[in-house]
Amino acid sequence: SLPFPPFPPPTALCDWEKALETAIKLTDAYKCCLFRNHPTVGVHLLKVSRLCKLLDTIFHLEKAIQCDTEALDILEVSLGMDHSVFTDAKRSLWDVQQELVLRRETALKH
């Protein structure tokens, strides 16, 4: 017998809704403390987008698009269009846009 209880599986520890709520609040704090086009704000928005994608609903995919778009605007100014973070963000935005189109088409068929 173990002297301590075993850890729950990682997915049991993840409350993605709460994580997203906290991340959005943190976004506002970053925008207050850093200048608007600071790369940290852009990278953080990409992470918020990733949380939205994990929740995987049409609403959250739309929110992911908003976050990716804002992140791209910030990263274009702060890092430039040739930076790998910018190109990764652009690919992420395109991917989520395509996923949303497919979801909407599927919803219309049913």
Side-chain angles (χ1 to χ4, degrees):
S1 170
L2 295 173
F4 51 87
F7 289 106
T11 53
L13 296 174
C14 299
D15 181 351
W16 298 121
E17 285 282 352
K18 181 70 173 167
L20 179 59
E21 182 182 316
T22 302
I24 290 170
K25 289 178 184 173
L26 185 57
T27 303
D28 294 336
Y30 277 144
K31 287 178 180 178
C32 274
C33 296
L34 304 169
F35 60 90
R36 184 191 176 332
N37 288 323
H38 196 283
T40 300
V41 177
V43 170
H44 175 73
L45 285 164
L46 294 176
K47 293 176 188 273
V48 174
S49 172
R50 201 170 295 148
L51 282 172
C52 290
K53 292 170 196 169
L54 280 171
L55 291 167
D56 203 32
T57 67
I58 288 179
F59 171 79
H60 289 104
L61 292 176
E62 289 170 344
K63 180 71 175 163
I65 289 171
Q66 291 173 354
C67 290
D68 281 344
T69 301
E70 187 176 354
L72 276 172
D73 291 344
I74 292 168
L75 295 171
E76 181 179 0
V77 171
S78 61
L79 300 178
M81 294 174 69
D82 294 330
H83 197 282
S84 63
V85 175
F86 179 84
T87 56
D88 289 347
K90 200 171 177 180
R91 188 175 319 111
S92 174
L93 175 59
W94 188 86
D95 289 345
V96 74
Q97 286 172 330
Q98 296 309 306
E99 178 66 24
L100 189 56
V101 166
L102 288 173
R103 291 285 182 86
R104 287 181 172 154
E105 287 175 354
T106 303
L108 288 175
K109 290 178 184 178
H110 290 95

mmCIF file with all atom_site columns, all heavy atoms in Angstrom, residues 2-25:
data_model
loop_
_atom_site.group_PDB
_atom_site.id
_atom_site.type_symbol
_atom_site.label_atom_id
_atom_site.label_alt_id
_atom_site.label_comp_id
_atom_site.label_asym_id
_atom_site.label_entity_id
_atom_site.label_seq_id
_atom_site.pdbx_PDB_ins_code
_atom_site.Cartn_x
_atom_site.Cartn_y
_atom_site.Cartn_z
_atom_site.occupancy
_atom_site.B_iso_or_equiv
_atom_site.pdbx_formal_charge
_atom_site.auth_seq_id
_atom_site.auth_comp_id
_atom_site.auth_asym_id
_atom_site.auth_atom_id
_atom_site.pdbx_PDB_model_num
ATOM 1   N N   . LEU A 1 2  ? 0.459   2.239  -0.783  1.00 0.00 ? 2  LEU A N   1
ATOM 2   C CA  . LEU A 1 2  ? 1.214   3.488  -0.854  1.00 0.00 ? 2  LEU A CA  1
ATOM 3   C C   . LEU A 1 2  ? 0.979   4.326  0.401   1.00 0.00 ? 2  LEU A C   1
ATOM 4   O O   . LEU A 1 2  ? -0.133  4.359  0.935   1.00 0.00 ? 2  LEU A O   1
ATOM 5   C CB  . LEU A 1 2  ? 0.782   4.292  -2.087  1.00 0.00 ? 2  LEU A CB  1
ATOM 6   C CG  . LEU A 1 2  ? 1.077   3.679  -3.449  1.00 0.00 ? 2  LEU A CG  1
ATOM 7   C CD1 . LEU A 1 2  ? 0.449   4.511  -4.547  1.00 0.00 ? 2  LEU A CD1 1
ATOM 8   C CD2 . LEU A 1 2  ? 2.578   3.578  -3.668  1.00 0.00 ? 2  LEU A CD2 1
ATOM 9   N N   . PRO A 1 3  ? 1.986   5.041  0.853   1.00 0.00 ? 3  PRO A N   1
ATOM 10  C CA  . PRO A 1 3  ? 1.817   5.895  2.032   1.00 0.00 ? 3  PRO A CA  1
ATOM 11  C C   . PRO A 1 3  ? 1.026   7.175  1.728   1.00 0.00 ? 3  PRO A C   1
ATOM 12  O O   . PRO A 1 3  ? 0.708   7.939  2.613   1.00 0.00 ? 3  PRO A O   1
ATOM 13  C CB  . PRO A 1 3  ? 3.255   6.219  2.448   1.00 0.00 ? 3  PRO A CB  1
ATOM 14  C CG  . PRO A 1 3  ? 4.052   6.081  1.198   1.00 0.00 ? 3  PRO A CG  1
ATOM 15  C CD  . PRO A 1 3  ? 3.362   5.021  0.380   1.00 0.00 ? 3  PRO A CD  1
ATOM 16  N N   . PHE A 1 4  ? 0.726   7.402  0.450   1.00 0.00 ? 4  PHE A N   1
ATOM 17  C CA  . PHE A 1 4  ? -0.040  8.583  0.045   1.00 0.00 ? 4  PHE A CA  1
ATOM 18  C C   . PHE A 1 4  ? -1.016  8.161  -1.049  1.00 0.00 ? 4  PHE A C   1
ATOM 19  O O   . PHE A 1 4  ? -0.781  7.178  -1.745  1.00 0.00 ? 4  PHE A O   1
ATOM 20  C CB  . PHE A 1 4  ? 0.896   9.692  -0.458  1.00 0.00 ? 4  PHE A CB  1
ATOM 21  C CG  . PHE A 1 4  ? 1.861   9.215  -1.501  1.00 0.00 ? 4  PHE A CG  1
ATOM 22  C CD1 . PHE A 1 4  ? 1.510   9.212  -2.842  1.00 0.00 ? 4  PHE A CD1 1
ATOM 23  C CD2 . PHE A 1 4  ? 3.126   8.750  -1.153  1.00 0.00 ? 4  PHE A CD2 1
ATOM 24  C CE1 . PHE A 1 4  ? 2.387   8.760  -3.811  1.00 0.00 ? 4  PHE A CE1 1
ATOM 25  C CE2 . PHE A 1 4  ? 4.007   8.287  -2.120  1.00 0.00 ? 4  PHE A CE2 1
ATOM 26  C CZ  . PHE A 1 4  ? 3.648   8.296  -3.453  1.00 0.00 ? 4  PHE A CZ  1
ATOM 27  N N   . PRO A 1 5  ? -2.091  8.880  -1.212  1.00 0.00 ? 5  PRO A N   1
ATOM 28  C CA  . PRO A 1 5  ? -3.042  8.484  -2.261  1.00 0.00 ? 5  PRO A CA  1
ATOM 29  C C   . PRO A 1 5  ? -2.445  8.744  -3.643  1.00 0.00 ? 5  PRO A C   1
ATOM 30  O O   . PRO A 1 5  ? -1.677  9.688  -3.828  1.00 0.00 ? 5  PRO A O   1
ATOM 31  C CB  . PRO A 1 5  ? -4.251  9.389  -2.007  1.00 0.00 ? 5  PRO A CB  1
ATOM 32  C CG  . PRO A 1 5  ? -3.753  10.518 -1.199  1.00 0.00 ? 5  PRO A CG  1
ATOM 33  C CD  . PRO A 1 5  ? -2.534  10.028 -0.454  1.00 0.00 ? 5  PRO A CD  1
ATOM 34  N N   . PRO A 1 6  ? -2.753  7.903  -4.623  1.00 0.00 ? 6  PRO A N   1
ATOM 35  C CA  . PRO A 1 6  ? -2.228  8.125  -5.986  1.00 0.00 ? 6  PRO A CA  1
ATOM 36  C C   . PRO A 1 6  ? -2.838  9.396  -6.586  1.00 0.00 ? 6  PRO A C   1
ATOM 37  O O   . PRO A 1 6  ? -3.929  9.816  -6.219  1.00 0.00 ? 6  PRO A O   1
ATOM 38  C CB  . PRO A 1 6  ? -2.678  6.890  -6.749  1.00 0.00 ? 6  PRO A CB  1
ATOM 39  C CG  . PRO A 1 6  ? -3.827  6.353  -5.979  1.00 0.00 ? 6  PRO A CG  1
ATOM 40  C CD  . PRO A 1 6  ? -3.613  6.751  -4.536  1.00 0.00 ? 6  PRO A CD  1
ATOM 41  N N   . PHE A 1 7  ? -2.084  9.995  -7.489  1.00 0.00 ? 7  PHE A N   1
ATOM 42  C CA  . PHE A 1 7  ? -2.583  11.192 -8.161  1.00 0.00 ? 7  PHE A CA  1
ATOM 43  C C   . PHE A 1 7  ? -3.689  10.821 -9.129  1.00 0.00 ? 7  PHE A C   1
ATOM 44  O O   . PHE A 1 7  ? -3.632  9.781  -9.778  1.00 0.00 ? 7  PHE A O   1
ATOM 45  C CB  . PHE A 1 7  ? -1.458  11.886 -8.936  1.00 0.00 ? 7  PHE A CB  1
ATOM 46  C CG  . PHE A 1 7  ? -0.448  12.545 -8.060  1.00 0.00 ? 7  PHE A CG  1
ATOM 47  C CD1 . PHE A 1 7  ? 0.807   11.998 -7.895  1.00 0.00 ? 7  PHE A CD1 1
ATOM 48  C CD2 . PHE A 1 7  ? -0.758  13.722 -7.407  1.00 0.00 ? 7  PHE A CD2 1
ATOM 49  C CE1 . PHE A 1 7  ? 1.743   12.608 -7.085  1.00 0.00 ? 7  PHE A CE1 1
ATOM 50  C CE2 . PHE A 1 7  ? 0.171   14.335 -6.589  1.00 0.00 ? 7  PHE A CE2 1
ATOM 51  C CZ  . PHE A 1 7  ? 1.427   13.788 -6.421  1.00 0.00 ? 7  PHE A CZ  1
ATOM 52  N N   . PRO A 1 8  ? -4.703  11.693 -9.272  1.00 0.00 ? 8  PRO A N   1
ATOM 53  C CA  . PRO A 1 8  ? -5.729  11.434 -10.290 1.00 0.00 ? 8  PRO A CA  1
ATOM 54  C C   . PRO A 1 8  ? -5.117  11.620 -11.675 1.00 0.00 ? 8  PRO A C   1
ATOM 55  O O   . PRO A 1 8  ? -4.092  12.283 -11.816 1.00 0.00 ? 8  PRO A O   1
ATOM 56  C CB  . PRO A 1 8  ? -6.798  12.490 -10.002 1.00 0.00 ? 8  PRO A CB  1
ATOM 57  C CG  . PRO A 1 8  ? -6.097  13.561 -9.251  1.00 0.00 ? 8  PRO A CG  1
ATOM 58  C CD  . PRO A 1 8  ? -4.951  12.908 -8.525  1.00 0.00 ? 8  PRO A CD  1
ATOM 59  N N   . PRO A 1 9  ? -5.725  11.041 -12.695 1.00 0.00 ? 9  PRO A N   1
ATOM 60  C CA  . PRO A 1 9  ? -5.186  11.238 -14.051 1.00 0.00 ? 9  PRO A CA  1
ATOM 61  C C   . PRO A 1 9  ? -5.210  12.723 -14.413 1.00 0.00 ? 9  PRO A C   1
ATOM 62  O O   . PRO A 1 9  ? -6.062  13.477 -13.926 1.00 0.00 ? 9  PRO A O   1
ATOM 63  C CB  . PRO A 1 9  ? -6.131  10.430 -14.934 1.00 0.00 ? 9  PRO A CB  1
ATOM 64  C CG  . PRO A 1 9  ? -7.348  10.189 -14.123 1.00 0.00 ? 9  PRO A CG  1
ATOM 65  C CD  . PRO A 1 9  ? -6.944  10.259 -12.679 1.00 0.00 ? 9  PRO A CD  1
ATOM 66  N N   . PRO A 1 10 ? -4.275  13.173 -15.255 1.00 0.00 ? 10 PRO A N   1
ATOM 67  C CA  . PRO A 1 10 ? -4.195  14.603 -15.588 1.00 0.00 ? 10 PRO A CA  1
ATOM 68  C C   . PRO A 1 10 ? -5.507  15.202 -16.084 1.00 0.00 ? 10 PRO A C   1
ATOM 69  O O   . PRO A 1 10 ? -5.824  16.335 -15.757 1.00 0.00 ? 10 PRO A O   1
ATOM 70  C CB  . PRO A 1 10 ? -3.119  14.655 -16.675 1.00 0.00 ? 10 PRO A CB  1
ATOM 71  C CG  . PRO A 1 10 ? -2.307  13.441 -16.474 1.00 0.00 ? 10 PRO A CG  1
ATOM 72  C CD  . PRO A 1 10 ? -3.240  12.406 -15.898 1.00 0.00 ? 10 PRO A CD  1
ATOM 73  N N   . THR A 1 11 ? -6.273  14.456 -16.863 1.00 0.00 ? 11 THR A N   1
ATOM 74  C CA  . THR A 1 11 ? -7.520  15.019 -17.379 1.00 0.00 ? 11 THR A CA  1
ATOM 75  C C   . THR A 1 11 ? -8.512  15.301 -16.259 1.00 0.00 ? 11 THR A C   1
ATOM 76  O O   . THR A 1 11 ? -9.335  16.195 -16.369 1.00 0.00 ? 11 THR A O   1
ATOM 77  C CB  . THR A 1 11 ? -8.170  14.087 -18.414 1.00 0.00 ? 11 THR A CB  1
ATOM 78  O OG1 . THR A 1 11 ? -8.294  12.790 -17.841 1.00 0.00 ? 11 THR A OG1 1
ATOM 79  C CG2 . THR A 1 11 ? -7.349  14.018 -19.684 1.00 0.00 ? 11 THR A CG2 1
ATOM 80  N N   . ALA A 1 12 ? -8.429  14.566 -15.164 1.00 0.00 ? 12 ALA A N   1
ATOM 81  C CA  . ALA A 1 12 ? -9.333  14.804 -14.040 1.00 0.00 ? 12 ALA A CA  1
ATOM 82  C C   . ALA A 1 12 ? -8.996  16.112 -13.342 1.00 0.00 ? 12 ALA A C   1
ATOM 83  O O   . ALA A 1 12 ? -9.836  16.702 -12.672 1.00 0.00 ? 12 ALA A O   1
ATOM 84  C CB  . ALA A 1 12 ? -9.264  13.641 -13.054 1.00 0.00 ? 12 ALA A CB  1
ATOM 85  N N   . LEU A 1 13 ? -7.761  16.547 -13.473 1.00 0.00 ? 13 LEU A N   1
ATOM 86  C CA  . LEU A 1 13 ? -7.332  17.785 -12.823 1.00 0.00 ? 13 LEU A CA  1
ATOM 87  C C   . LEU A 1 13 ? -7.676  19.023 -13.648 1.00 0.00 ? 13 LEU A C   1
ATOM 88  O O   . LEU A 1 13 ? -7.568  20.136 -13.164 1.00 0.00 ? 13 LEU A O   1
ATOM 89  C CB  . LEU A 1 13 ? -5.818  17.761 -12.600 1.00 0.00 ? 13 LEU A CB  1
ATOM 90  C CG  . LEU A 1 13 ? -5.305  16.687 -11.661 1.00 0.00 ? 13 LEU A CG  1
ATOM 91  C CD1 . LEU A 1 13 ? -3.785  16.695 -11.665 1.00 0.00 ? 13 LEU A CD1 1
ATOM 92  C CD2 . LEU A 1 13 ? -5.830  16.919 -10.264 1.00 0.00 ? 13 LEU A CD2 1
ATOM 93  N N   . CYS A 1 14 ? -8.061  18.848 -14.895 1.00 0.00 ? 14 CYS A N   1
ATOM 94  C CA  . CYS A 1 14 ? -8.229  19.968 -15.817 1.00 0.00 ? 14 CYS A CA  1
ATOM 95  C C   . CYS A 1 14 ? -9.672  20.447 -15.856 1.00 0.00 ? 14 CYS A C   1
ATOM 96  O O   . CYS A 1 14 ? -10.554 19.739 -16.328 1.00 0.00 ? 14 CYS A O   1
ATOM 97  C CB  . CYS A 1 14 ? -7.769  19.559 -17.209 1.00 0.00 ? 14 CYS A CB  1
ATOM 98  S SG  . CYS A 1 14 ? -6.048  19.091 -17.256 1.00 0.00 ? 14 CYS A SG  1
ATOM 99  N N   . ASP A 1 15 ? -9.865  21.631 -15.371 1.00 0.00 ? 15 ASP A N   1
ATOM 100 C CA  . ASP A 1 15 ? -11.149 22.310 -15.503 1.00 0.00 ? 15 ASP A CA  1
ATOM 101 C C   . ASP A 1 15 ? -10.925 23.399 -16.544 1.00 0.00 ? 15 ASP A C   1
ATOM 102 O O   . ASP A 1 15 ? -10.543 24.521 -16.219 1.00 0.00 ? 15 ASP A O   1
ATOM 103 C CB  . ASP A 1 15 ? -11.584 22.895 -14.156 1.00 0.00 ? 15 ASP A CB  1
ATOM 104 C CG  . ASP A 1 15 ? -12.928 23.590 -14.214 1.00 0.00 ? 15 ASP A CG  1
ATOM 105 O OD1 . ASP A 1 15 ? -13.468 23.780 -15.325 1.00 0.00 ? 15 ASP A OD1 1
ATOM 106 O OD2 . ASP A 1 15 ? -13.438 23.975 -13.145 1.00 0.00 ? 15 ASP A OD2 1
ATOM 107 N N   . TRP A 1 16 ? -11.129 23.023 -17.812 1.00 0.00 ? 16 TRP A N   1
ATOM 108 C CA  . TRP A 1 16 ? -10.784 23.928 -18.908 1.00 0.00 ? 16 TRP A CA  1
ATOM 109 C C   . TRP A 1 16 ? -11.621 25.202 -18.900 1.00 0.00 ? 16 TRP A C   1
ATOM 110 O O   . TRP A 1 16 ? -11.129 26.263 -19.287 1.00 0.00 ? 16 TRP A O   1
ATOM 111 C CB  . TRP A 1 16 ? -10.906 23.203 -20.244 1.00 0.00 ? 16 TRP A CB  1
ATOM 112 C CG  . TRP A 1 16 ? -9.963  22.041 -20.356 1.00 0.00 ? 16 TRP A CG  1
ATOM 113 C CD1 . TRP A 1 16 ? -10.304 20.737 -20.562 1.00 0.00 ? 16 TRP A CD1 1
ATOM 114 C CD2 . TRP A 1 16 ? -8.542  22.056 -20.243 1.00 0.00 ? 16 TRP A CD2 1
ATOM 115 N NE1 . TRP A 1 16 ? -9.178  19.953 -20.581 1.00 0.00 ? 16 TRP A NE1 1
ATOM 116 C CE2 . TRP A 1 16 ? -8.077  20.735 -20.391 1.00 0.00 ? 16 TRP A CE2 1
ATOM 117 C CE3 . TRP A 1 16 ? -7.607  23.070 -20.023 1.00 0.00 ? 16 TRP A CE3 1
ATOM 118 C CZ2 . TRP A 1 16 ? -6.733  20.399 -20.332 1.00 0.00 ? 16 TRP A CZ2 1
ATOM 119 C CZ3 . TRP A 1 16 ? -6.263  22.729 -19.964 1.00 0.00 ? 16 TRP A CZ3 1
ATOM 120 C CH2 . TRP A 1 16 ? -5.836  21.413 -20.117 1.00 0.00 ? 16 TRP A CH2 1
ATOM 121 N N   . GLU A 1 17 ? -12.875 25.122 -18.482 1.00 0.00 ? 17 GLU A N   1
ATOM 122 C CA  . GLU A 1 17 ? -13.722 26.325 -18.394 1.00 0.00 ? 17 GLU A CA  1
ATOM 123 C C   . GLU A 1 17 ? -13.118 27.312 -17.395 1.00 0.00 ? 17 GLU A C   1
ATOM 124 O O   . GLU A 1 17 ? -13.033 28.507 -17.663 1.00 0.00 ? 17 GLU A O   1
ATOM 125 C CB  . GLU A 1 17 ? -15.148 25.962 -17.976 1.00 0.00 ? 17 GLU A CB  1
ATOM 126 C CG  . GLU A 1 17 ? -15.976 25.322 -19.063 1.00 0.00 ? 17 GLU A CG  1
ATOM 127 C CD  . GLU A 1 17 ? -16.512 26.313 -20.090 1.00 0.00 ? 17 GLU A CD  1
ATOM 128 O OE1 . GLU A 1 17 ? -16.381 27.536 -19.907 1.00 0.00 ? 17 GLU A OE1 1
ATOM 129 O OE2 . GLU A 1 17 ? -17.068 25.849 -21.092 1.00 0.00 ? 17 GLU A OE2 1
ATOM 130 N N   . LYS A 1 18 ? -12.718 26.812 -16.233 1.00 0.00 ? 18 LYS A N   1
ATOM 131 C CA  . LYS A 1 18 ? -12.118 27.663 -15.194 1.00 0.00 ? 18 LYS A CA  1
ATOM 132 C C   . LYS A 1 18 ? -10.772 28.206 -15.682 1.00 0.00 ? 18 LYS A C   1
ATOM 133 O O   . LYS A 1 18 ? -10.448 29.367 -15.450 1.00 0.00 ? 18 LYS A O   1
ATOM 134 C CB  . LYS A 1 18 ? -11.962 26.866 -13.901 1.00 0.00 ? 18 LYS A CB  1
ATOM 135 C CG  . LYS A 1 18 ? -11.391 27.660 -12.770 1.00 0.00 ? 18 LYS A CG  1
ATOM 136 C CD  . LYS A 1 18 ? -12.376 28.683 -12.280 1.00 0.00 ? 18 LYS A CD  1
ATOM 137 C CE  . LYS A 1 18 ? -11.846 29.352 -11.018 1.00 0.00 ? 18 LYS A CE  1
ATOM 138 N NZ  . LYS A 1 18 ? -12.609 30.537 -10.676 1.00 0.00 ? 18 LYS A NZ  1
ATOM 139 N N   . ALA A 1 19 ? -10.009 27.359 -16.363 1.00 0.00 ? 19 ALA A N   1
ATOM 140 C CA  . ALA A 1 19 ? -8.725  27.802 -16.900 1.00 0.00 ? 19 ALA A CA  1
ATOM 141 C C   . ALA A 1 19 ? -8.930  28.936 -17.906 1.00 0.00 ? 19 ALA A C   1
ATOM 142 O O   . ALA A 1 19 ? -8.194  29.927 -17.899 1.00 0.00 ? 19 ALA A O   1
ATOM 143 C CB  . ALA A 1 19 ? -7.991  26.636 -17.550 1.00 0.00 ? 19 ALA A CB  1
ATOM 144 N N   . LEU A 1 20 ? -9.943  28.809 -18.759 1.00 0.00 ? 20 LEU A N   1
ATOM 145 C CA  . LEU A 1 20 ? -10.227 29.848 -19.746 1.00 0.00 ? 20 LEU A CA  1
ATOM 146 C C   . LEU A 1 20 ? -10.664 31.143 -19.060 1.00 0.00 ? 20 LEU A C   1
ATOM 147 O O   . LEU A 1 20 ? -10.200 32.229 -19.416 1.00 0.00 ? 20 LEU A O   1
ATOM 148 C CB  . LEU A 1 20 ? -11.298 29.377 -20.729 1.00 0.00 ? 20 LEU A CB  1
ATOM 149 C CG  . LEU A 1 20 ? -11.714 30.384 -21.795 1.00 0.00 ? 20 LEU A CG  1
ATOM 150 C CD1 . LEU A 1 20 ? -10.522 30.817 -22.650 1.00 0.00 ? 20 LEU A CD1 1
ATOM 151 C CD2 . LEU A 1 20 ? -12.818 29.802 -22.656 1.00 0.00 ? 20 LEU A CD2 1
ATOM 152 N N   . GLU A 1 21 ? -11.520 31.013 -18.081 1.00 0.00 ? 21 GLU A N   1
ATOM 153 C CA  . GLU A 1 21 ? -11.982 32.191 -17.335 1.00 0.00 ? 21 GLU A CA  1
ATOM 154 C C   . GLU A 1 21 ? -10.793 32.925 -16.699 1.00 0.00 ? 21 GLU A C   1
ATOM 155 O O   . GLU A 1 21 ? -10.695 34.149 -16.773 1.00 0.00 ? 21 GLU A O   1
ATOM 156 C CB  . GLU A 1 21 ? -12.964 31.717 -16.262 1.00 0.00 ? 21 GLU A CB  1
ATOM 157 C CG  . GLU A 1 21 ? -13.579 32.802 -15.427 1.00 0.00 ? 21 GLU A CG  1
ATOM 158 C CD  . GLU A 1 21 ? -14.492 32.209 -14.354 1.00 0.00 ? 21 GLU A CD  1
ATOM 159 O OE1 . GLU A 1 21 ? -15.282 31.296 -14.659 1.00 0.00 ? 21 GLU A OE1 1
ATOM 160 O OE2 . GLU A 1 21 ? -14.406 32.676 -13.204 1.00 0.00 ? 21 GLU A OE2 1
ATOM 161 N N   . THR A 1 22 ? -9.900  32.181 -16.105 1.00 0.00 ? 22 THR A N   1
ATOM 162 C CA  . THR A 1 22 ? -8.711  32.768 -15.475 1.00 0.00 ? 22 THR A CA  1
ATOM 163 C C   . THR A 1 22 ? -7.798  33.393 -16.523 1.00 0.00 ? 22 THR A C   1
ATOM 164 O O   . THR A 1 22 ? -7.268  34.492 -16.323 1.00 0.00 ? 22 THR A O   1
ATOM 165 C CB  . THR A 1 22 ? -7.958  31.695 -14.669 1.00 0.00 ? 22 THR A CB  1
ATOM 166 O OG1 . THR A 1 22 ? -8.850  31.144 -13.699 1.00 0.00 ? 22 THR A OG1 1
ATOM 167 C CG2 . THR A 1 22 ? -6.745  32.272 -13.972 1.00 0.00 ? 22 THR A CG2 1
ATOM 168 N N   . ALA A 1 23 ? -7.622  32.724 -17.638 1.00 0.00 ? 23 ALA A N   1
ATOM 169 C CA  . ALA A 1 23 ? -6.756  33.239 -18.703 1.00 0.00 ? 23 ALA A CA  1
ATOM 170 C C   . ALA A 1 23 ? -7.284  34.550 -19.269 1.00 0.00 ? 23 ALA A C   1
ATOM 171 O O   . ALA A 1 23 ? -6.513  35.459 -19.573 1.00 0.00 ? 23 ALA A O   1
ATOM 172 C CB  . ALA A 1 23 ? -6.623  32.198 -19.808 1.00 0.00 ? 23 ALA A CB  1
ATOM 173 N N   . ILE A 1 24 ? -8.599  34.658 -19.397 1.00 0.00 ? 24 ILE A N   1
ATOM 174 C CA  . ILE A 1 24 ? -9.188  35.904 -19.899 1.00 0.00 ? 24 ILE A CA  1
ATOM 175 C C   . ILE A 1 24 ? -8.944  37.045 -18.920 1.00 0.00 ? 24 ILE A C   1
ATOM 176 O O   . ILE A 1 24 ? -8.603  38.160 -19.316 1.00 0.00 ? 24 ILE A O   1
ATOM 177 C CB  . ILE A 1 24 ? -10.687 35.703 -20.213 1.00 0.00 ? 24 ILE A CB  1
ATOM 178 C CG1 . ILE A 1 24 ? -10.830 34.800 -21.455 1.00 0.00 ? 24 ILE A CG1 1
ATOM 179 C CG2 . ILE A 1 24 ? -11.391 37.040 -20.431 1.00 0.00 ? 24 ILE A CG2 1
ATOM 180 C CD1 . ILE A 1 24 ? -12.239 34.334 -21.730 1.00 0.00 ? 24 ILE A CD1 1
ATOM 181 N N   . LYS A 1 25 ? -9.086  36.758 -17.620 1.00 0.00 ? 25 LYS A N   1
ATOM 182 C CA  . LYS A 1 25 ? -8.787  37.781 -16.610 1.00 0.00 ? 25 LYS A CA  1
ATOM 183 C C   . LYS A 1 25 ? -7.316  38.172 -16.659 1.00 0.00 ? 25 LYS A C   1
ATOM 184 O O   . LYS A 1 25 ? -6.968  39.346 -16.516 1.00 0.00 ? 25 LYS A O   1
ATOM 185 C CB  . LYS A 1 25 ? -9.154  37.274 -15.216 1.00 0.00 ? 25 LYS A CB  1
ATOM 186 C CG  . LYS A 1 25 ? -10.641 37.167 -14.987 1.00 0.00 ? 25 LYS A CG  1
ATOM 187 C CD  . LYS A 1 25 ? -10.938 36.608 -13.620 1.00 0.00 ? 25 LYS A CD  1
ATOM 188 C CE  . LYS A 1 25 ? -12.438 36.405 -13.438 1.00 0.00 ? 25 LYS A CE  1
ATOM 189 N NZ  . LYS A 1 25 ? -12.755 35.721 -12.183 1.00 0.00 ? 25 LYS A NZ  1
#
